[in-house]
Amino acid sequence: MDAQVRSVLRRVIRRIPNKNIENLLKKWNCLSTDQLCALDYTRPKWMIVELVASFCEDNSLNLKQITNLEMMYHIENPDQGVWHACQLTEAQDDAVCVDLTQFKEQFKAHLHGVVRHISIKMKKHEDEAIWIRIAWGDNFSKPNHLKPTYVVHHLHTSYVFISNLMAKHKIFLCQALVMATKHGSIKDGHLSTRSLTGMRELLLRRYQQVFPNAHSSILQERNTLPSHPCIGKEHSGHEDMRHQMSCEAFGHGPTPKLETAVYRLETRYRGNDNQTLSDREEFFRGVVRFSSSSLLDSLRHCVASGMAEGPVTPLLSAITQRGRNYFVITDKGPSVSSQASAQRA
């Protein structure tokens, strides 16, 4: 193995938690049974890294096999790094006919045609997702396998999820995705999170949604605190209404995991007569950020418990309804706007 292969291998092994290394190396199927038995996973991490590296050296493993181990780890542990969503638009008539083989050929052909040195590896996961690993180079340098870009796409859906993409490579990747999926263009989805699982659940509607309904019996199963009978009777109607509104806005049951929602303000101070309170033409600019380990759960609890007034403001319900967590609020009114560009993918 050359120096680059050893660097990539050590980086991959160091990132894998000790409790996951054994099963992952067995699935990798590149080490012999004796070599696997010789590994003591209770030892310090640096010793495990060096021993695995020596075994790979003895087996003359190449870069393709090492990057395969890295992809296996990322596929089994998708909620790492920061993922950004993009949306394919203007689908052509034959977009629904694109199969995996055709997608691979078109995607690789385009990137190999515009970037001289590039490494592309694809895997189809059990959930029908196509995982793509891209190590970028240029006309003068070889692909950098230490900082690859990861792309996840479900064929025949309009969403693409991207992690660790540099701005200078964005145009090449977007062109390849548009051509391979037979769409007209691709746009920023204004959604980013560390949880790829939560992002897919939100955009592909894989969580338990609740739609407005005059009969809310499906929402009655919830934990309630004991209270005085008279007080409980007086407030039960309000509690049911708040619970119904919170579930309609953020779903019922486990919610997609999002950590933040960002609102960028471009407004002016106005009085009761809707007149500006300052003669200056410049906007008042600021950023409001909501953060939580599980933001949608927190917002749902705030509404259901009465901490936030109902009905739920469109500024918050738009997170699930529009599948975004980055918004721009302009001076045109209280509606949610997306005229400004979102964060880079």
Side-chain angles (χ1 to χ4, degrees), residues 201-202 205-211 216-223 240 242-256 296-297 300-301 304 320:
E201 288 175 350
L202 180 63
R205 305 293 180 180
R206 292 178 174 177
Y207 64 99
Q208 188 174 353
Q209 301 176 72
V210 174
F211 300 97
S216 58
S217 59
I218 60 172
L219 302 179
Q220 296 301 321
E221 297 181 3
R222 65 183 192 275
N223 295 325
D240 291 343
R242 289 197 303 267
H243 185 68
Q244 177 76 19
M245 288 188 298
S246 66
C247 291
E248 288 176 3
F250 306 111
H252 183 54
T255 59
L296 296 182
D297 272 341
R300 184 172 62 184
H301 175 73
T320 53

Side-chain angles (χ1 to χ4, degrees), residues 4 63 67 104-122 132-145 147-151 164-166 168-177:
Q4 185 187 41
L63 185 59
T67 54
K104 284 183 176 180
E105 292 176 352
Q106 291 285 336
F107 186 85
K108 290 183 177 181
H110 179 78
L111 285 182
H112 282 300
V114 295
V115 183
R116 182 175 181 181
H117 294 125
I118 189 171
S119 174
I120 307 170
K121 190 176 182 65
M122 293 189 185
I132 309 171
R133 180 189 187 274
I134 307 172
W136 300 90
D138 54 35
N139 291 336
F140 307 100
S141 60
K142 293 182 179 180
N144 184 0
H145 287 276
K147 296 181 179 180
T149 295
Y150 272 90
V151 181
N164 195 31
L165 177 64
M166 296 180 65
K168 65 180 181 179
H169 298 139
K170 185 173 182 179
I171 186 172
F172 302 133
L173 176 60
C174 291
Q175 288 173 347
L177 288 168

Side-chain angles (χ1 to χ4, degrees), residues 260-264 287-290 295 325-328 343:
T260 61
V262 178
Y263 296 84
R264 177 177 160 189
V287 175
V288 178
R289 179 187 296 269
F290 293 91
L295 181 63
N325 65 349
Y326 182 88
F327 303 93
V328 177
Q343 298 167 340

Side-chain angles (χ1 to χ4, degrees), residues 31 33 177 182 209 236 270:
L31 301 182
T33 303
L177 288 168
K182 295 190 179 298
Q209 301 176 72
S236 61
R270 294 184 180 274

Side-chain angles (χ1 to χ4, degrees), residues 30-301:
C30 286
L31 301 182
S32 67
T33 303
D34 293 339
Q35 289 172 333
L36 291 173
C37 292
L39 291 170
D40 184 357
Y41 302 101
T42 62
R43 292 183 177 183
K45 190 59 170 286
W46 68 268
M47 296 182 66
I48 298 175
V49 171
E50 293 303 320
L51 192 54
V52 172
S54 67
F55 289 156
C56 293
E57 189 89 40
D58 295 339
N59 296 350
S60 300
L61 298 186
N62 55 34
L63 185 59
K64 182 178 179 180
Q65 293 166 309
I66 302 302
T67 54
N68 185 49
L69 175 64
E70 184 193 73
M71 286 197 73
M72 290 173 57
Y73 171 66
H74 276 278
I75 292 173
E76 293 188 4
N77 301 270
D79 298 343
Q80 299 184 56
V82 178
W83 291 88
H84 299 265
C86 292
Q87 186 173 12
L88 296 160
T89 59
E90 302 172 20
Q92 299 177 13
D93 294 338
D94 53 348
V96 295
C97 302
V98 175
D99 58 21
L100 179 59
T101 301
Q102 186 178 3
F103 174 84
K104 284 183 176 180
E105 292 176 352
Q106 291 285 336
F107 186 85
K108 290 183 177 181
H110 179 78
L111 285 182
H112 282 300
V114 295
V115 183
R116 182 175 181 181
H117 294 125
I118 189 171
S119 174
I120 307 170
K121 190 176 182 65
M122 293 189 185
K123 277 182 173 294
K124 187 177 182 181
H125 191 42
E126 296 174 354
D127 63 355
E128 302 301 314
I130 303 172
W131 280 74
I132 309 171
R133 180 189 187 274
I134 307 172
W136 300 90
D138 54 35
N139 291 336
F140 307 100
S141 60
K142 293 182 179 180
N144 184 0
H145 287 276
L146 294 177
K147 296 181 179 180
T149 295
Y150 272 90
V151 181
V152 178
H153 175 56
H154 294 255
L155 277 180
H156 308 137
T157 70
S158 60
Y159 297 106
V160 181
F161 311 103
I162 305 171
S163 177
N164 195 31
L165 177 64
M166 296 180 65
K168 65 180 181 179
H169 298 139
K170 185 173 182 179
I171 186 172
F172 302 133
L173 176 60
C174 291
Q175 288 173 347
L177 288 168
V178 166
M179 293 182 62
T181 58
K182 295 190 179 298
H183 282 73
S185 61
I186 187 171
K187 64 180 182 179
D188 197 321
H190 303 278
L191 176 65
S192 62
T193 177
R194 297 185 65 86
S195 175
L196 175 62
T197 304
M199 182 179 285
R200 289 193 288 185
E201 288 175 350
L202 180 63
L203 292 178
L204 301 180
R205 305 293 180 180
R206 292 178 174 177
Y207 64 99
Q208 188 174 353
Q209 301 176 72
V210 174
F211 300 97
N213 192 334
H215 307 285
S216 58
S217 59
I218 60 172
L219 302 179
Q220 296 301 321
E221 297 181 3
R222 65 183 192 275
N223 295 325
T224 56
L225 296 176
S227 62
H228 191 278
C230 295
I231 298 176
K233 182 178 180 180
E234 181 179 352
H235 293 286
S236 61
H238 295 290
E239 292 177 358
D240 291 343
M241 184 179 300
R242 289 197 303 267
H243 185 68
Q244 177 76 19
M245 288 188 298
S246 66
C247 291
E248 288 176 3
F250 306 111
H252 183 54
T255 59
K257 185 177 180 180
L258 294 179
E259 300 91 356
T260 61
V262 178
Y263 296 84
R264 177 177 160 189
L265 309 179
E266 294 183 356
T267 59
R268 292 185 175 92
Y269 290 109
R270 294 184 180 274
N272 295 331
D273 57 354
N274 204 31
Q275 297 295 319
T276 57
L277 301 181
S278 174
D279 295 333
R280 297 195 313 171
E281 292 296 326
E282 293 82 3
F283 286 111
F284 166 76
R285 290 181 171 86
V287 175
V288 178
R289 179 187 296 269
F290 293 91
S291 298
S292 172
S293 58
S294 183
L295 181 63
L296 296 182
D297 272 341
S298 299
L299 294 175
R300 184 172 62 184
H301 175 73

